[in-house]
Short mmCIF file of all heavy atoms in Angstrom, two decimals:
data_model
loop_
_atom_site.label_atom_id
_atom_site.label_comp_id
_atom_site.label_asym_id
_atom_site.label_seq_id
_atom_site.Cartn_x
_atom_site.Cartn_y
_atom_site.Cartn_z
N GLY A 8 77.29 97.72 106.01
CA GLY A 8 77.62 97.05 104.76
C GLY A 8 77.99 95.60 105.00
O GLY A 8 78.06 95.15 106.13
N PHE A 36 77.24 93.70 108.52
CA PHE A 36 75.97 92.94 108.58
C PHE A 36 76.29 91.44 108.56
O PHE A 36 76.98 90.95 107.65
CB PHE A 36 75.06 93.34 107.44
CG PHE A 36 73.68 92.76 107.56
CD1 PHE A 36 73.03 92.73 108.79
CD2 PHE A 36 73.01 92.27 106.45
CE1 PHE A 36 71.75 92.21 108.93
CE2 PHE A 36 71.72 91.72 106.56
CZ PHE A 36 71.09 91.70 107.78
N ASN A 105 63.62 102.91 105.13
CA ASN A 105 64.18 103.30 106.44
C ASN A 105 63.49 104.55 106.99
O ASN A 105 63.31 104.64 108.19
CB ASN A 105 65.69 103.53 106.31
CG ASN A 105 66.46 102.22 106.26
OD1 ASN A 105 65.97 101.20 106.76
ND2 ASN A 105 67.60 102.21 105.64
#
Side-chain angles (χ1 to χ4, degrees):
F36 189 41
N105 283 335

